[in-house]
Amino acid sequence: MLSLLSLLLATSQPSLEHLSQSERSLLQAALAAQQAHSVLSVQYEACQSQRDYRQAGLPDLQLLRSAIEAKLQLPYQNFLFASRQAGDWQRLQPRDPLQAGSCDEFNRYRENLDQYELQLFALEIAEPLASSLTANQNEAASAQQLLLLRGYLQRSSSVAIARVFDRSQLNAIEQANFLHPDYQSRYIFRLEQGWRSVMPVYMGMHSQFNEQDIAKQASEWLIFLDTQKQFIAARPLTEVSALLAELGPAEWTFDLNGNLIRK
């Protein structure tokens, strides 16, 4: 079964389109060094009982791992998965991969060791990538998220910033005026400001959270309501900064006493 990491990378493999030629050379050196170390490991594990192999030793994988993470700005396990699965990465793999020899081919082991050290040296002296290999994916995901939010906005009659509020702070009359009688959760929204049609200052949340869960939830949300004042969507305020910039100044707000102020 694929791990969660594998599933994530399978759907969002680091893109190489934005890399310069020198950055591609850096990645090629990392791939070649990793491939060489894997070949050395196979032969060494099979032959380490022989003195020549023990004297030559097997290069420390941690040294290669640290160099890859520092130069590529990518966790080593992510690098390994992408190197095996991503099509773009396959085209940068060594054209003539090294081959492990039998235990009586120590000279081949030495030659492979020389090739590994050459590729590791190239990796170590190269300039690190200017930006993370996952930067393009993050940018694409942000753009896709903004398009989704714009879709919510297009369908909305009202949009507002709301704070999570403990309904026990409302008196019985306020609760009767603002909340549906079937709403049972202790927590509600208190609206702070918004755009388009004005909503009530207090309203039920899009989901009901118990006291154990509420601490894990965002304290402020951007909510989208249709013409019937039903939720289209609700997103934590920290995730919608791009849309907030497009919305501009709020068209209305509530003061601390719950009085409506139009702007």
Side-chain angles (χ1 to χ4, degrees):
M1 180 181 292
L2 288 175
S3 66
L4 176 60
L5 168 65
S6 300
L7 289 171
L8 289 173
L9 284 175
T11 58
S12 183
Q13 296 170 348
S15 172
L16 308 182
E17 295 179 358
H18 64 298
L19 296 186
S20 66
Q21 186 55 51
S22 62
E23 289 174 326
R24 285 175 177 270
S25 297
L26 165 61
L27 182 54
Q28 283 181 308
L31 291 168
Q34 177 62 46
Q35 195 266 345
H37 193 281
S38 298
V39 170
L40 288 169
S41 297
V42 170
Q43 191 168 357
Y44 184 83
E45 290 299 320
C47 310
Q48 60 182 307
S49 60
Q50 297 185 19
R51 180 181 177 184
D52 287 343
Y53 287 95
R54 292 199 304 274
Q55 288 182 335
L58 178 67
D60 183 5
L61 179 60
Q62 184 57 46
L63 184 63
L64 173 61
R65 176 175 180 158
S66 297
I68 288 174
E69 291 184 337
K71 298 296 182 176
L72 302 185
Q73 303 180 46
L74 189 71
Y76 181 66
Q77 292 301 321
N78 293 23
F79 165 80
L80 286 181
F81 183 83
S83 69
R84 297 164 184 161
Q85 302 293 331
D88 286 352
W89 292 52
Q90 292 300 312
R91 289 187 283 275
L92 294 180
Q93 293 280 4
R95 293 184 178 180
D96 299 311
L98 304 180
Q99 301 294 326
S102 61
C103 291
D104 58 0
E105 294 179 287
F106 179 69
N107 284 341
R108 174 175 290 188
Y109 184 82
R110 284 296 321 174
E111 291 172 358
N112 289 344
L113 185 58
D114 289 342
Q115 285 298 314
Y116 167 77
E117 292 174 347
L118 181 64
Q119 297 299 337
L120 179 61
F121 178 71
L123 176 62
E124 290 177 329
I125 65 173
E127 290 293 323
L129 292 182
S131 62
S132 169
L133 287 169
T134 57
N136 276 14
Q137 280 68 32
N138 294 337
E139 292 172 4
S142 296
Q144 187 174 13
Q145 175 69 7
L146 182 56
L147 285 175
L148 181 63
L149 293 172
R150 286 172 178 163
Y152 294 151
L153 183 61
Q154 199 169 36
R155 295 159 50 198
S156 297
S157 172
S158 303
V159 183
I161 294 174
R163 180 177 293 276
V164 177
F165 188 83
D166 189 337
R167 69 182 293 181
S168 65
Q169 298 182 43
L170 299 181
N171 59 41
I173 295 176
E174 287 174 325
Q175 292 199 39
N177 287 341
F178 290 109
L179 301 179
H180 192 281
D182 293 335
Y183 188 80
Q184 300 299 318
S185 175
R186 171 179 171 179
Y187 299 99
I188 60 176
F189 277 143
R190 185 191 192 282
L191 273 60
E192 297 181 337
Q193 56 185 325
W195 297 261
R196 304 183 178 177
S197 300
V198 178
M199 295 183 253
V201 63
Y202 298 106
M203 60 184 299
M205 295 180 67
H206 59 296
S207 297
Q208 295 192 19
F209 303 108
N210 58 36
E211 292 187 50
Q212 291 74 32
D213 293 334
I214 199 66
K216 305 173 186 176
Q217 303 301 319
S219 60
E220 289 187 297
W221 296 72
L222 185 69
I223 57 177
F224 304 82
L225 274 71
D226 62 19
T227 55
Q228 304 301 315
K229 305 302 180 187
Q230 299 297 313
F231 282 99
I232 294 173
R235 291 289 183 271
L237 202 63
T238 54
E239 297 179 7
V240 296
S241 56
L243 185 66
L244 288 174
E246 292 186 1
L247 284 170
E251 297 169 2
W252 49 265
T253 186
F254 289 108
D255 65 17
L256 294 177
N257 297 316
N259 298 313
L260 175 66
I261 301 173
R262 293 185 182 273
K263 298 185 177 181

